[in-house]
Amino acid sequence: MSIQFNDETFRDDYTFRNSDWAINRFPFPFHEDHYMYSVNMEQHRGGPEGSVFEKRFDVDEHYVAEMRDRAQVLADDPLRCQSLPHMTLAGWDLLELIMVSKSEDYPDLFELHRDDDKWRWVNKPLGIDDSFTFMDETTLPYGPMEYITRQTQGDFAVLDQRDDNLWMDAGMITTQADWSLDFDIGMNFFEWHAPVPKANEMGIFVRALKFLMSVQQGAPARRLNWTMTVNPLLDTSPENYHKWGIQKTQMTPENVGEKQHLRVELQTFFRLPRSNGLVFPIRCYLISLDDLTSIPKWGRRLHRVIRDLPEELATYKGFIDNRPMIIDYLAKVDNGAETSPGIWPDLHLEPDAKA
Amino acid sequence: MSGVEKIAVRVTNIVPLNALVTRFEFKRSDGLHFPTFSGGAHVVVEMQDGEILRRNPYSLMSDPADQSQYAISVRRDDEGRGGSLFMHRSVSVGDEMLISNPVNLFALDLRARKHLMIAGGIGITPFMAQIKQLSRTNGNWELHYASRNAALASYGSELMAQHPNGVHIYYDDDKQSIALEALLKGQPLGTHLYICGPKGMINWVRDTAKKAGWPHEAIHYEEFLAPQSGKPFEVKLAQSSMVIQVGENQSLLEAIEAAGVDAPYLCRGGACGQCETAVIGYDGKFLHNDHWLTNEEKASGHKIMPCVSRFEGKTLVLDR
Amino acid sequence: MSKFQFPKAIFSRPVYTVLERRVGSHHLMVADAEGGGALLDLAKSDSGLMADAHVIYIPKHTGDTYSKPLAAFAPGQFYIGSSYEASVARLRRTLLGAHMGLQVYLAGTEGLMGQVQSEAAQAGISPESIQSEHRGSVARRMQCVHCKGITEDVTVDPFVCGHCGLNLYVRDHYSRRLAAFQGVCVNAEDPGNVPKAKELYT
């Protein structure tokens, strides 16, 4: 199918909407009725047709609007995109990975024409048709990482691998769940995860690092992470927290279903060939509780997960104050029925399933 | 999950360089392009050597940006278990082989103000690719290359011709040696040191640098340990409920794989840590040959690196 | 308070040790205020070291308490700086001409040690070649995550950003690149209500 791109906003009047198509393919992150911190890593080599896992870099109906929002964030604060000097080669790796993947996976939307190092990139949804010399920064309007990630949904952390560690040495971070690239750039894996509760005690980060350092060329990996966001606000940055934090207090029992969103990150990991770096795309999907509970299994399961979540995790994820209101809303859709294993909607398993 | 992606290749050229070293060039069997790689990367080459499936790592020495071919250079080891002998004697132009995707355990530190490379003998191969990569990006580098004599200095004359100011070659037969202390003393802050060669050379350079106050983060080395031959032994694999035999010229990892048990690996040379395996019980003596486990871990009897290490004794039970 | 036992903290926060002589071709020492005492202890433990050392010392409020005895050890190069800002050009020049094998010894406040460490890292020194010993004030150097301004010598939590005026709480999350802790708006979700400021570590 060709995608109809929404004309919508992620700020001010919040006209963001998910179509039925987007709701049904939403990456619901809970495969069982409770949540525990885990590495939960799997190979990123496709997935069910139409799912967000199918392509290497998923493109959906929010693409054009998300890129408009990113351009606005960068105009307001260029520090959201930074690359330490030694990371330029990794930037070219990333540009190549995305251009090759998107032109192969979405030939109707993106074209890449290569004649040795003379490249032409056509991005139809954004109306871009640029010719440039690969590995020559002077032929692009931005550095290679910034150029391609202004055209790709999701945040991007570009990691250097050295001294048995991964280092956050470049990134495009405009839709972050409450961490600052400007502050964290240059940190190693343990340093940038330091604020996660109990991170020091959990061997989980040691295991995750070992896994990530051995991600190989041609064998990308993925996992899901999640949090809650009031309003479909992409830019939940600490930089602007003093402006958006107040929105968390504006939820009422009447508007919670419309305002409270589950925010899911599809995190993928690709080895970058020329630099031996690792890119960590963090793709954000938002869904309102009203839309989410239109899938009965998801509504029941989310209720149980949120209700039983340890307090420190609800605090870390920033919704401890609103949790009672969220639970009250979700309790109404939880009839106590069983939920099937796995993350898929399984509408055919519901008692009142319509044929 | 070994997770190592394989690429089917055809041998397109075999070039003897001198009495010991031969270059093998590959193209993809499917006619597509190879992935690019980073200088210092190796591939694992699969060899069906009679009954035994060998997987040996070799540094890629072709241009990392050249996606039309890969090349490795193999030194014949007459004393070894046979991987290099197989390459030298049994591989012909036109043969189909399987290699892994490139894996880099000897990468350049791209922050370096300067890259100082020390090569001994066949240890020149990863530097061949690194020098091509750095030349393309205007990197600041310098190579010091020790070899027995001019005839055995693989690629020596080619390197001298291309980089007369960056390459320094030393011949043992002429009693030439690297003036290491003076060389290390003059290096500007931000220099990174890379060493690839025989074990004695690696230890000498590392020790000298350490005594001169170099931090270990600035010292990089690669030594592929070839698995040693040894007495045959028996191993029980607890998870798989099997008892397997490890042959004289077979590594423990190869024996595990031959039994159809999937085991992770990356380097097969005792360096990367991927194949680390827990020991459930033993009665006998470990022959640890890796550089991954700490001395305490080796002494504990709880872990073994099956790619290069062996066992002598009555029973060994592994968590695999 | 000259020696302080920091509470156990998260992984990004620096950990301080006691300076000891390291093998190296050159020795660069930078200290402020009570940090001079740590250099003196080091000099006493190994008097031969100072002859090969370049010492940059910023006495701040300590007068000649430490500078006089330090001078008595006759360091190879001895410089007394009137402030960190005044000393930084000399520091950069020194790093520019330095060679591999240089050992760096830092002592004093977190702000001073963090900033020198950041300069040294930019010059290509790996963290392993740098030792830090905390002495003196436990005040923190804070970056405001909102306006990016740095406020020096913060001793209370929350505090007022010296640049944008927001009320910020003090996090343990630390950036070695910025040589600063992170300050985040404390009352974004409750604008009228700023918690009462407490001394750090109380």
Side-chain angles (χ1 to χ4, degrees):
Chain A
M1 63 169 280
S2 197
I3 303 165
Q4 288 295 315
F5 297 106
N6 300 349
D7 184 6
E8 60 190 1
T9 57
F10 299 87
R11 55 179 72 210
D12 306 325
D13 57 351
Y14 294 113
T15 59
F16 164 86
R17 291 294 175 272
N18 280 311
S19 66
D20 288 344
W21 173 73
I23 294 170
N24 278 296
R25 73 194 294 275
F26 188 83
F28 188 70
F30 307 109
H31 61 91
E32 54 192 2
D33 284 356
H34 65 272
Y35 172 74
M36 254 311 292
Y37 233 81
S38 72
V39 180
N40 64 308
M41 207 74 79
E42 62 177 7
Q43 297 292 317
H44 183 44
R45 280 185 239 187
E49 196 182 334
S51 75
V52 304
F53 307 111
E54 184 187 6
K55 313 290 194 191
R56 284 165 282 187
F57 295 89
D58 183 46
V59 176
D60 68 9
E61 64 190 22
H62 308 298
Y63 176 50
V64 174
E66 282 188 30
M67 293 302 98
R68 206 183 297 142
D69 193 73
R70 164 159 294 163
Q72 185 61 51
V73 172
L74 290 170
D76 294 344
D77 181 3
L79 296 175
R80 304 296 188 84
C81 178
Q82 296 191 48
S83 176
L84 298 182
H86 62 281
M87 296 302 283
T88 306
L89 186 60
W92 284 111
D93 273 330
L94 179 62
L95 176 141
E96 179 181 38
L97 173 67
I98 292 176
M99 286 187 178
V100 169
S101 301
K102 280 190 163 180
S103 60
E104 288 175 0
D105 292 350
Y106 299 93
D108 54 329
L109 301 179
F110 306 97
E111 293 171 18
L112 178 62
H113 306 276
R114 287 186 282 185
D115 176 12
D116 195 23
D117 62 353
K118 303 292 176 221
W119 292 26
R120 178 174 161 230
W121 167 247
V122 182
N123 178 336
K124 291 179 189 166
L126 296 183
I128 290 167
D129 185 339
D130 282 340
S131 294
F132 62 97
T133 304
F134 186 73
M135 297 279 274
D136 180 352
E137 287 89 85
T138 64
T139 60
L140 284 176
Y142 308 100
M145 178 192 72
E146 179 170 358
Y147 177 79
I148 197 58
T149 57
R150 279 176 175 265
Q151 303 179 41
T152 309
Q153 287 164 279
D155 281 351
F156 290 82
V158 186
L159 314 178
D160 196 17
Q161 181 159 331
R162 56 174 201 268
D163 306 335
D164 293 326
N165 215 321
L166 292 168
W167 302 81
M168 173 87 69
D169 284 349
M172 167 68 90
I173 309 290
T174 65
T175 65
Q176 69 266 54
D178 214 3
W179 63 280
S180 164
L181 174 71
D182 181 57
F183 196 80
D184 286 4
I185 192 169
M187 290 189 187
N188 70 34
F189 189 78
F190 298 110
E191 290 169 342
W192 89 70
H193 283 111
V196 179
K198 294 192 173 174
N200 289 349
E201 293 136 57
M202 283 191 292
I204 203 166
F205 286 96
V206 175
R207 289 200 298 279
L209 175 62
K210 188 174 172 191
F211 178 92
L212 292 175
M213 292 209 309
S214 62
V215 166
Q216 291 169 61
Q217 275 180 243
R222 70 179 173 225
R223 70 186 286 260
L224 294 175
N225 198 6
W226 68 280
T227 187
M228 305 289 276
T229 303
V230 177
N231 290 326
L233 173 64
L234 275 180
D235 178 25
T236 52
S237 59
E239 277 84 351
N240 284 333
Y241 170 62
H242 59 304
K243 297 177 188 160
W244 62 262
I246 192 72
Q247 295 179 21
K248 295 208 291 190
T249 66
Q250 293 165 349
M251 231 160 51
T252 63
E254 290 69 44
N255 67 21
V256 56
E258 186 192 330
K259 273 189 173 294
Q260 182 66 64
H261 287 68
L262 175 64
R263 182 188 192 100
V264 174
E265 293 176 356
L266 170 58
Q267 306 181 341
T268 50
F269 305 89
F270 297 82
R271 175 68 54 201
L272 296 174
R274 290 179 171 82
S275 58
N276 200 41
L278 195 72
V279 66
F280 173 18
I282 310 160
R283 173 65 184 280
C284 169
Y285 296 87
L286 291 163
I287 191 169
S288 68
L289 293 188
D290 281 347
D291 284 347
L292 182 128
T293 53
S294 70
I295 309 286
K297 169 182 162 182
W298 291 354
R300 292 200 296 274
R301 176 163 289 167
L302 186 65
H303 171 242
R304 297 164 197 179
V305 167
I306 299 292
R307 182 191 62 200
D308 301 338
L309 194 74
E311 194 150 316
E312 63 205 2
L313 273 176
T315 305
Y316 173 65
K317 289 178 184 288
F319 64 92
I320 188 77
D321 292 344
N322 286 326
R323 176 151 80 165
M325 206 188 300
I326 297 168
I327 293 172
D328 285 349
Y329 174 91
L330 290 170
K332 290 180 198 134
V333 300
D334 187 356
N335 57 9
E338 268 189 51
T339 54
S340 53
I343 63 173
W344 308 105
D346 293 335
L347 291 172
H348 61 285
L349 297 178
E350 296 299 324
D352 58 346
K354 298 182 185 81
Chain B
M1 176 197 73
S2 52
V4 176
E5 285 291 294
K6 290 176 184 139
I7 304 171
V9 298
R10 188 167 47 252
V11 180
T12 51
N13 204 3
I14 298 180
V15 184
L17 296 170
N18 51 45
L20 291 176
V21 179
T22 296
R23 181 171 74 235
F24 296 84
E25 297 172 6
F26 305 109
K27 285 198 185 300
R28 275 178 81 125
S29 303
D30 59 14
L32 299 175
H33 277 61
F34 280 111
T36 52
F37 62 95
S38 48
H42 71 265
V43 292
V44 173
V45 179
E46 292 196 3
M47 299 168 231
Q48 193 62 54
D49 186 3
E51 294 280 287
I52 295 177
L53 177 64
R54 298 193 186 286
R55 294 191 173 110
N56 281 20
Y58 294 105
S59 297
L60 288 169
M61 42 84 51
S62 44
D63 183 347
D66 178 3
Q67 296 180 261
S68 68
Q69 64 149 356
Y70 278 176
I72 60 173
S73 293
V74 179
R75 182 183 188 278
R76 199 183 72 231
D77 179 2
D78 296 321
E79 309 293 310
R81 301 173 320 138
S84 69
L85 290 176
F86 179 87
M87 288 300 292
H88 275 253
R89 290 176 185 161
S90 307
V91 173
S92 316
V93 169
D95 283 2
E96 299 283 335
M97 302 185 83
L98 280 179
I99 64 172
S100 70
N101 254 309
V103 173
N104 202 339
L105 302 170
F106 188 52
L108 294 168
D109 190 320
L110 296 175
R111 298 168 309 159
R113 303 287 199 278
K114 180 177 173 183
H115 305 272
L116 179 63
M117 303 165 175
I118 313 274
I122 192 64
I124 189 64
T125 52
F127 295 124
M128 297 296 290
Q130 290 182 337
I131 287 170
K132 289 181 184 107
Q133 176 180 337
L134 288 171
S135 301
R136 202 176 279 269
T137 51
N138 300 317
N140 181 13
W141 62 273
E142 188 177 306
L143 170 73
H144 296 261
Y145 176 18
S147 175
R148 203 180 305 165
N149 52 49
L152 287 176
S154 310
Y155 306 108
S157 47
E158 173 187 326
L159 285 165
M160 288 285 269
Q162 286 168 4
H163 310 283
N165 299 319
V167 174
H168 309 264
I169 304 187
Y170 308 79
Y171 301 121
D172 301 344
D173 288 354
D174 298 343
K175 305 258 183 294
Q176 297 170 340
S177 65
I178 303 171
L180 190 59
E181 281 180 35
L183 180 67
L184 293 178
K185 201 173 172 189
Q187 299 305 319
L189 275 191
T191 302
H192 281 251
L193 178 63
Y194 306 84
I195 320 149
C196 188
K199 193 183 187 75
M201 175 190 231
I202 292 175
N203 291 343
W204 169 59
V205 179
R206 287 177 64 201
D207 289 348
T208 310
K210 198 176 162 195
K211 280 180 195 142
W214 285 54
H216 81 263
E217 286 125 326
I219 305 171
H220 313 263
Y221 61 97
E222 181 162 74
E223 179 197 6
F224 281 129
L225 299 165
Q228 307 286 308
S229 305
K231 291 181 197 157
F233 60 104
E234 189 177 278
V235 184
K236 186 174 176 204
L237 304 180
Q239 283 182 33
S240 322
S241 310
M242 312 181 164
V243 175
I244 62 166
Q245 307 296 325
V246 183
E248 180 186 346
N249 288 313
Q250 193 180 26
S251 73
L252 173 54
L253 179 60
E254 287 165 351
I256 292 171
E257 289 169 338
V261 176
D262 198 18
Y265 68 84
L266 279 183
C267 78
R268 304 182 80 89
C272 75
Q274 278 295 305
C275 70
E276 183 180 299
T277 303
V279 174
I280 294 175
Y282 72 103
D283 177 5
K285 182 173 85 169
F286 289 99
L287 305 173
H288 290 293
N289 295 314
D290 60 279
H291 343 257
W292 174 257
L293 297 177
T294 62
N295 288 335
E296 295 77 54
E297 285 171 323
K298 286 177 183 173
S300 75
H302 296 326
K303 286 174 180 175
I304 187 169
M305 308 305 292
C307 61
V308 291
S309 297
R310 303 183 72 88
F311 181 78
E312 281 177 4
K314 277 194 205 148
T315 52
L316 174 62
V317 187
L318 297 181
D319 186 20
R320 183 66 75 201
Chain C
M1 179 173 9
S2 109
K3 292 191 188 182
F4 181 78
Q5 191 67 43
F6 289 99
K8 194 168 180 291
I10 65 174
F11 195 88
S12 57
R13 196 192 197 301
V15 174
Y16 305 107
T17 55
V18 174
L19 298 181
E20 57 181 47
R21 185 191 181 132
R22 291 258 184 90
V23 177
S25 51
H26 305 276
H27 305 272
L28 174 65
M29 302 179 183
V30 188
D32 69 352
E34 286 87 352
L39 294 190
L40 279 176
D41 289 350
L42 178 66
K44 284 173 198 157
S45 73
D46 187 340
S47 54
L49 175 63
M50 297 311 272
D52 295 332
H54 180 173
V55 177
I56 296 176
Y57 178 58
I58 302 148
K60 290 187 170 168
H61 59 271
T62 64
D64 56 10
T65 313
Y66 301 101
S67 55
K68 245 188 177 163
L70 273 174
F73 277 98
Q77 273 178 276
F78 188 46
Y79 167 77
I80 294 184
S82 49
S83 69
Y84 176 71
E85 290 68 29
S87 314
V88 73
R90 180 186 179 99
L91 174 67
R92 287 180 186 148
R93 170 64 188 85
T94 303
L95 293 170
L96 197 64
H99 292 86
M100 289 302 287
L102 176 73
Q103 302 298 322
V104 179
Y105 306 78
L106 307 178
T109 61
E110 292 199 272
L112 180 275
M113 293 191 290
Q115 288 177 88
V116 179
Q117 184 277 138
S118 174
E119 287 288 338
Q122 280 174 47
I125 300 185
S126 80
E128 196 199 327
S129 300
I130 305 174
Q131 300 178 66
S132 308
E133 178 170 345
H134 178 266
R135 295 280 181 108
S137 164
V138 294
R140 294 194 188 191
R141 195 175 130 87
M142 301 294 307
Q143 188 209 33
C144 171
V145 73
H146 310 293
C147 81
K148 308 298 181 189
I150 300 273
T151 303
E152 302 276 356
D153 293 327
V154 171
T155 56
V156 293
D157 177 21
F159 70 101
V160 176
C161 174
H163 303 265
C164 68
L166 283 173
N167 291 285
L168 307 178
Y169 69 93
V170 174
R171 293 186 80 192
D172 266 348
H173 198 31
Y174 181 83
S175 162
R176 285 195 285 181
R177 186 182 70 97
L178 299 169
F181 292 91
Q182 190 173 57
V184 180
C185 183
V186 70
N187 57 340
E189 296 175 35
D190 193 0
N193 183 15
V194 179
K196 195 166 178 297
K198 291 199 301 187
E199 285 283 320
L200 288 174
Y201 307 107
T202 55

